[in-house]
C-alpha cells in the first residue's frame, strides 16, 4: 500500500540553525517545517515544548489523519523527548531522526540552557534513529550511546564529524536524508504488517 510522506517538522537546537545548516537546506529543498522558537538564545524548556505542541496541533487540525515525523538537531533532540513525554499527539509520529544531542550533564553545559539540565529519558513511543559523532564537542560517544539506549533509539556513529552542523561541511547531507527516509519507510512497513 502506498503511504503519503509524513509532514516533517525540523527542530533546531540552541541559537537556531543558520542558512548553511543541513536542516535549513532540507527545509528549502523538501519543504520541511521549521519550528520557530520565540527565543533561540534563552531556551526555556516549557516555552519550547509549548511552541512545538502548537505547531503540531495546527498541522493536525488541518489534516487530522496525517502522519508526522521529526528531524531534530542538538537541543532539538531533548525538546522532542520532552514533548513526547507530554503530548497526546505521539500516535501520529512516523519516526524521528535525532542528530548530535548534547550531554546535559557536562560541567561546561551552557548556563543559558539551565532548564534542560535534567533530561527526559523516557523511551520514545515511536521509531527513532540517533546519529552521533565520535568527536562532538558537546557530547562524548559514550554519552550518546546512553541516550540512545534510554530513548530506545538505533545509534549510528558517523565517525569524526564534529557537532554534525554547518561547520562540519555536510552541505545538503544526503546520507542524513536517506536515514530519515529509511526510518519512515521502516515505520510504514511495520504498520502495514499489523
Amino acid at each position: 500500500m502506498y503511504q503519503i510522506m509524513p509532514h516533517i517538522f525540523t527542530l533546531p537546537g540552541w541559537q537556531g540553525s543558520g542558512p548553511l545548516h543541513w536542516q535549513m537546506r532540507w527545509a528549502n529543498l523538501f519543504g520541511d517545517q521549521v519550528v520557530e522558537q520565540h527565543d533561540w538564545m534563552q531556551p526555556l524548556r516549557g516555552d519550547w515544548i509549548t511552541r512545538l505542541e502548537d505547531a503540531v496541533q495546527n498541522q493536525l487540525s488541518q489534516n487530522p489523519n496525517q502522519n508526522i515525523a521529526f528531524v531534530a538537531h542538538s537541543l532539538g533532540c531533548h525538546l522532542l523527548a520532552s514533548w513526547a513525554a507530554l503530548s497526546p499527539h505521539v500516535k501520529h509520529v512516523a519516526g524521528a531522526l535525532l542528530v548530535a544531542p548534547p550531554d546535559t550533564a557536562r560541567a561546561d553545559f551552557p548556563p543559558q540552557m539551565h532548564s534542560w539540565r535534567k533530561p527526559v529519558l523516557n523511551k520514545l513511543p515511536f521509531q527513532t534513529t540517533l546519529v552521533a559523532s565520535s568527536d562532538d564537542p558537546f557530547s562524548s560517544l559514550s554519552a550518546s550511546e546512553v541516550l540512545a539506549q534510554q530513548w530506545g533509539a538505533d545509534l549510528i556513529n558517523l565517525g569524526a564529524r564534529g557537532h554534525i552542523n554547518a561547520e562540519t561541511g555536510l552541505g545538503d547531507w544526503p546520507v542524513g536524508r536517506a536515514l530519515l527516509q529509511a526510518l519512515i519507510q521502516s515505520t510504514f512497513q511495520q504498520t502495514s504488517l499489523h
Side-chain angles (χ1 to χ4, degrees):
M1 185 176 74
Y2 177 75
Q3 291 282 353
I4 299 168
M5 191 69 176
H7 183 84
I8 296 172
F9 288 100
T10 291
L11 310 179
W14 179 42
Q15 302 178 5
S17 293
L20 298 180
H21 195 292
W22 55 266
Q23 282 188 310
M24 295 302 127
R25 289 170 176 258
W26 287 7
N28 291 326
L29 283 169
F30 308 111
D32 301 351
Q33 179 184 344
V34 179
V35 177
E36 292 288 347
Q37 295 296 341
H38 293 297
D39 191 342
W40 288 111
M41 306 311 287
Q42 303 288 333
L44 296 175
R45 190 198 303 247
D47 290 352
W48 278 37
I49 294 170
T50 301
R51 191 80 170 152
L52 174 53
E53 179 67 4
D54 285 350
V56 170
Q57 274 187 333
N58 186 46
Q59 180 61 32
L60 292 175
S61 69
Q62 297 171 47
N63 188 346
N65 298 317
Q66 182 163 37
N67 287 308
I68 58 176
F70 294 97
V71 175
H73 180 257
S74 196
L75 192 62
C77 302
H78 289 285
L79 166 60
L80 183 59
S82 300
W83 172 84
L86 299 169
S87 177
H89 301 302
V90 291
K91 62 181 180 285
H92 292 277
V93 181
L97 183 68
L98 307 179
V99 181
D103 178 2
T104 63
R106 290 168 62 112
D108 62 353
F109 191 62
Q112 296 92 326
M113 295 195 277
H114 63 88
S115 68
W116 300 89
R117 178 63 86 171
K118 189 171 182 343
V120 172
L121 300 173
N122 303 353
K123 185 177 186 306
L124 294 171
F126 39 79
Q127 270 201 276
T128 309
T129 300
L130 192 157
V131 182
S133 160
S134 59
D135 64 347
D136 189 331
F138 304 107
S139 182
S140 65
L141 194 56
S142 59
S144 297
E145 287 168 351
V146 169
L147 267 184
Q149 189 174 30
Q150 289 169 319
W151 284 340
D154 295 324
L155 179 73
I156 293 176
N157 176 3
L158 274 195
R161 299 313 298 251
H163 195 44
I164 317 178
N165 54 9
E167 287 72 42
T168 313
L170 293 169
D172 294 339
W173 196 31
V175 169
R177 195 69 187 189
L179 288 172
L180 174 65
Q181 288 169 330
L183 174 68
I184 291 166
Q185 193 60 41
S186 169
T187 300
F188 285 152
Q189 284 171 348
Q190 286 190 6
T191 317
S192 62
L193 292 174
H194 293 301

